């Protein structure tokens, strides 16, 4: 619980700075990319999050990997996280930041699950339809699950729209069972 609170504190801090600098989208992209790049490699993640590794060694690695590739502010933020021994929270900080940034910019996330990859034109039309329904800008987060057979399942906030073949078969089964 304490880690979630700490991550939120740092996420809010970087969000406030981005808002003040009028760079919500820019800093958000950088934070997401850095989080992904640093923590998608198990060895690098292990090194950066290991409490036995000296902070200076972590800073040296970060300097070699990301300095000059990201904004000075974001680089200094990473160094601060290392100094405070909070780099382990980077992914949670990113999630908090993205949530705050999306809310500020009026963006809602729609988790779209389909059996196969959706074609670009289908993604665009689905996004437009969801924007019409919600009245907000919608960002699609795509997932694949072959168990749904076909169609899509959309989760938008606490709403779930099941347009999958599996969902329709289950509804038909429930209807048939109810009529007996």
């Amino acid at each position: 619980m304490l880690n979630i609170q700490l991550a939120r504190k740092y996420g809010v801090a970087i969000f406030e700075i981005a808002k003040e600098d009028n760079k919500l989208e820019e800093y958000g992209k950088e934070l997401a990319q850095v989080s992904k790049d640093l923590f998608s490699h198990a060895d690098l993640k292990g090194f950066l999050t290991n409490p036995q590794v000296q902070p200076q060694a972590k800073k040296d690695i970060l300097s070699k990997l990301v300095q000059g590739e990201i904004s000075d502010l974001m680089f200094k933020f990473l160094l601060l996280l290392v100094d405070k021994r909070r780099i382990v929270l980077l992914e949670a900080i990113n999630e908090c930041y993205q949530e705050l940034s999306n809310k500020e910019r009026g963006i809602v996330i729609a988790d779209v699950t389909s059996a196969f990859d959706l074609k670009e034109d289908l993604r665009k039309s689905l996004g437009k339809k969801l924007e019409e329904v919600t009245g907000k800008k919608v960002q699609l987060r795509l997932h694949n699950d072959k168990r749904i057979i076909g169609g899509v399942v959309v989760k938008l906030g606490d709403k779930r729209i099941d347009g999958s073949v599996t969902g329709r078969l289950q509804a038909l089964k429930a209807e048939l069972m109810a009529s007996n």
Side-chain angles (χ1 to χ4, degrees):
M1 189 65 169
L2 183 61
N3 281 350
I4 294 169
Q5 291 171 335
L6 283 171
R8 182 136 186 89
K9 190 175 182 180
Y10 284 96
V12 168
I14 195 72
F15 168 76
E16 291 296 332
I17 291 169
K19 192 173 163 184
E20 196 175 288
D21 291 351
N22 208 15
K23 294 185 176 183
L24 282 176
E25 193 172 347
E26 181 182 323
Y27 289 169
K29 285 180 182 176
E30 280 187 334
L31 187 60
Q33 191 62 50
V34 162
S35 178
K36 180 181 171 240
D37 290 347
L38 295 179
F39 282 20
S40 64
H41 304 288
D43 292 340
L44 181 57
K45 181 178 181 177
F47 179 82
L48 290 171
T49 59
N50 186 338
Q52 295 177 339
V53 175
Q54 293 299 311
Q56 190 57 50
K58 295 176 184 181
K59 288 180 180 181
D60 291 343
I61 288 292
L62 286 174
S63 294
K64 290 176 184 169
L65 293 175
V66 299
Q67 191 172 23
E69 302 293 321
I70 58 174
S71 67
D72 195 44
L73 178 119
M74 194 58 63
F75 180 67
K76 287 179 181 175
F77 181 69
L78 292 175
L79 296 182
L80 173 73
L81 293 177
V82 168
D83 284 338
K84 299 290 185 181
R85 299 188 183 274
R86 303 287 188 245
I87 195 74
V88 70
L89 302 174
L90 184 60
E91 291 170 309
I93 292 168
N94 177 50
E95 285 179 27
C96 175
Y97 178 92
Q98 299 305 333
E99 182 182 304
L100 292 168
S101 177
N102 286 342
K103 187 174 181 182
E104 178 72 19
R105 295 182 295 148
I107 297 173
V108 292
I109 302 294
D111 283 299
V112 177
T113 305
S114 60
F116 305 99
D117 289 335
L118 297 177
K119 293 181 181 173
E120 183 66 28
D121 59 332
L122 190 56
R123 284 194 302 245
K124 284 182 181 178
S125 66
L126 180 60
K128 282 183 183 180
K129 185 67 175 169
L130 290 171
E131 286 177 0
E132 288 173 16
V133 170
T134 62
K136 295 184 176 185
K137 186 169 172 30
V138 174
Q139 194 173 40
L140 301 180
R141 193 164 41 196
L142 304 171
H143 311 277
N144 289 344
D145 184 354
K146 298 206 182 301
R147 293 177 295 177
I148 68 169
I149 303 171
V152 295
V153 177
V154 178
K155 188 169 186 299
L156 195 60
D158 60 352
K159 292 185 176 147
R160 186 173 188 268
I161 304 162
D162 191 342
S164 68
V165 171
T166 302
R168 290 181 184 193
L169 288 172
Q170 288 172 346
L172 181 61
K173 178 182 175 184
E175 191 177 316
L176 289 172
M177 297 295 278
S179 66
N180 284 337

